[in-house]
Amino acid sequence: MALKDLAVLVLAAGKSTRMKSAVPKVLHKVGGQTLIGHVLGVGRDAGADSLHVVVGADMDELTAAIDPIPTIVQDPPRGTGHAVQCAREALAGFDGTIAVLFGDTPLITPQTLDTMRAEAERSDLVVLGFRPDDPSAYGRLVQNDNGELEAIVEAKDATPEQLTIDLCNSGVMMFDATLCWSLIDGLSDNNKSGELYLTDLVAMARMAGNTCAVVEASADEVLGVNSRADLAVAEQAFQRRARQRMLEGGVTLLDPDSVYFSWDTALAPDVSVGPNVVFGPGVTIDTGTSIEAFCHIEGARVGSGARIGPFARLRPGAELGDEVHIGNFVEVKKARVADGAKANHLAYIGDAHIGEKTNIGAGTITANYDGFNKHSTHVGAGVSIGSNTVLVAPISVADGALVGAGSVVTSDVTQDTLTVVRAERRDIDNGAARFRAARSNQKREDNS
Ligand code: UD1
Ligand code: CA
């Protein structure tokens, strides 16, 4: 049987003073992705037919960041129930299931939404519950003897007896759209916060004879970010999950706890990663490649059987082929390095193309920036660039060429040419001894 359509509504209009930030809370990042980006991704992965985000007034930065996802402005924010009221027009005509997610709760999984969605086929309203170590601030889920959900009471409004309930509201809810619009205007702000609580929908639905159910999630998954401390906790939880996913996917991690991943890191089976490696967003690495200790890799693709590091930096636009070697203190930016090419020590390769099996000597620099513009370097296949060479871009070194160590090359090198650009050597017989003698005479005169 086909599932009912799903409309995802992400609430993000609340003030977030505790972050002490000029940046809207949900634009802070976990695993290299904004909090709201995680939530929207989960909505998409769960097969949402539509996505909307409820934002406050003056949240243009947020609206721009999530473009083209439509936003609904809630001005002023009067509670989670009011936020959903504001979406009535945007969801007019929709009669499937509405899922309410919070923009600051980034670690929920599509699997959990799937479980809730399956439950929403049987029940009119489904709440995602969890059992936190410290339930104090959360709304409590009140169940009857049959385990059916009867009400949600906010901590502030709960009786001492209700406060002993350890099953709490994560804030994530799914409900039938028609039911929602039939009840939601009945919400009242007659409570301790003076807000319209979305959670009151549960008792109202029960009163109207509807069924309400609870699905439980782990506390990790529904962790909400309200402060920098929460952000750090969320990052650690994200990393634990990412490390586990990598290990299960056939990646070797020598010291998992010291490796940091991004939300989209893609490592093929049989990639091996040493200690203290950081993967920024946009990294794809093919099978059999080894990333040695202390590498920083971002926006880069690496082929199979390559060896990167230790201490290498791959920046956005680095495209490395199969069997490439990039060694210690080598930085590659916006450069294609073809199969079998090597840069093993102390080099900068930027805005460049390096051909197959070419060897870049220690200390080689592509001088790509003249203070005004960036220029590119093209090095062909089978080239050997000697140590401490500066290739001043724009420049091209054709296949099979050989550039002598210490050269500063400012114009093109043709195929199979041996190029050496340095000052002529001059040997002065006994010159060093004469120099020393002259200096010590001078010193004697100065001191006399
Ligand atoms: C809410 C729940 C509580 C639950 C807790 C889980 C209600 C009444 N309470 O409480 O049961 O245990 O989350 O963390 O729902 N928002 C808006 N507009 C508003 C108010 C809030 O968009 O007018 C957004 C916020 O940006 C946030 C989310 O809704 O993303 C939750 O709001 P928040 O004020 O943090 O709710 P809590 O009081 O924590
Ligand atoms: Ca909250």
Side-chain angles (χ1 to χ4, degrees):
M1 196 190 75
L3 292 169
K4 286 189 256 178
D5 282 354
L6 187 69
V8 168
L9 194 59
V10 181
L11 308 194
K15 290 257 174 293
S16 46
T17 46
R18 277 193 282 159
M19 292 296 283
K20 299 202 168 77
S21 177
V23 177
K25 174 167 78 172
V26 297
L27 293 185
H28 285 265
K29 287 179 179 173
V30 160
Q33 164 76 296
T34 60
L35 302 180
I36 188 100
H38 280 280
V39 177
L40 293 170
V42 169
R44 247 180 249 118
D45 290 349
D49 297 284
S50 72
L51 289 164
H52 289 88
V53 179
V54 180
V55 301
D58 308 320
M59 287 195 184
D60 295 347
E61 190 182 352
L62 172 55
T63 302
I66 60 179
D67 183 67
I69 291 174
T71 52
I72 297 161
V73 178
Q74 183 195 13
D75 181 23
R78 292 176 49 219
T80 49
H82 178 237
V84 174
Q85 284 178 352
C86 292
R88 187 199 280 267
E89 207 177 303
L91 294 180
F94 175 78
D95 65 356
T97 301
I98 296 175
V100 173
L101 307 183
F102 288 174
D104 62 3
T105 307
L107 299 181
I108 183 153
T109 62
Q111 292 74 20
T112 295
L113 289 191
D114 287 348
T115 307
M116 290 182 74
R117 203 173 171 189
E119 183 57 47
E121 296 290 311
R122 294 184 286 272
S123 306
D124 303 306
L125 188 155
V126 184
V127 172
L128 187 64
F130 73 117
R131 297 178 197 270
D133 292 338
D134 175 14
S136 52
Y138 295 103
R140 305 300 206 277
L141 303 188
V142 182
Q143 291 165 291
N144 65 21
D145 294 340
N146 299 325
E148 293 159 325
L149 184 63
E150 290 287 350
I152 303 178
V153 287
E154 289 306 294
K156 279 183 192 167
D157 304 288
T159 63
E161 194 194 346
Q162 287 168 332
L163 285 176
T164 64
I165 298 172
D166 66 344
L167 184 59
C168 292
N169 176 27
S170 69
V172 179
M173 273 199 213
M174 278 191 199
F175 36 73
D176 181 78
T178 313
L179 174 71
C180 168
W181 305 130
S182 73
L183 296 177
I184 200 146
D185 288 337
L187 291 177
S188 134
D189 61 4
N190 186 13
N191 53 51
K192 288 272 161 56
S193 307
E195 291 185 353
L196 298 176
Y197 290 161
L198 182 62
T199 45
D200 285 349
L201 219 50
V202 174
M204 291 159 73
R206 291 295 293 145
M207 200 84 85
N210 296 102
T211 51
C212 300
V214 180
V215 165
E216 267 193 67
S218 73
D220 256 10
E221 233 187 279
V222 295
L223 194 143
V225 175
N226 296 305
S227 64
R228 305 277 178 165
D230 292 342
L231 191 65
V233 172
E235 182 70 42
Q236 289 307 317
F238 170 88
Q239 294 299 341
R240 274 197 301 280
R241 201 190 271 179
R243 290 164 190 150
Q244 197 56 38
R245 183 166 52 80
M246 290 298 168
L247 294 168
E248 283 163 8
V251 173
T252 296
L253 302 178
L254 262 64
D255 178 17
D257 289 351
S258 71
V259 180
Y260 284 77
F261 295 102
S262 283
W263 64 286
D264 60 349
T265 307
L267 307 187
D270 286 325
V271 166
S272 110
V273 183
N276 297 295
V277 172
V278 176
F279 293 95
V283 175
T284 302
I285 297 182
D286 212 342
T287 187
T289 285
S290 154
I291 311 291
E292 317 266 305
F294 296 100
C295 287
H296 193 283
I297 303 179
E298 181 176 7
R301 301 179 74 87
V302 182
S304 62
R307 199 179 67 214
I308 310 299
F311 299 100
R313 177 158 186 218
L314 304 183
R315 290 173 52 203
E319 301 256 346
L320 316 190
D322 299 340
E323 322 264 320
V324 162
H325 290 184
I326 298 294
N328 41 267
F329 308 108
V330 173
E331 175 180 347
V332 181
K333 183 218 78 168
K334 209 169 161 199
R336 161 124 189 85
V337 181
D339 296 354
K342 294 178 181 156
N344 273 323
H345 338 262
L346 305 156
Y348 173 64
I349 301 171
D351 302 299
H353 174 101
I354 309 296
E356 275 183 37
K357 294 209 163 76
T358 281
N359 190 73
I360 303 291
T364 295
I365 304 289
T366 56
N368 58 336
Y369 186 52
D370 59 14
F372 298 93
N373 293 301
K374 295 274 168 67
H375 300 284
S376 52
T377 298
H378 191 284
V379 178
V383 169
S384 181
I385 304 286
S387 295
N388 220 29
T389 292
V390 181
L391 298 171
V392 181
I395 191 169
S396 130
V397 179
D399 293 354
L402 207 157
V403 175
S407 293
V408 177
V409 190
T410 56
S411 60
D412 292 357
V413 178
T414 52
Q415 189 167 340
D416 292 322
T417 300
L418 166 59
T419 297
V420 186
V421 197
R422 352 167 160 121
E424 200 73 32
R425 169 164 171 167
R426 201 152 72 95
D427 283 0
I428 300 167
D429 284 344
N430 210 31
R434 281 191 279 140
F435 174 80
R436 280 192 296 272
R439 274 295 151 92
S440 52
N441 277 339
Q442 169 109 45
K443 214 170 185 180
R444 229 170 286 133
E445 277 166 26
D446 288 351
N447 292 341
S448 62

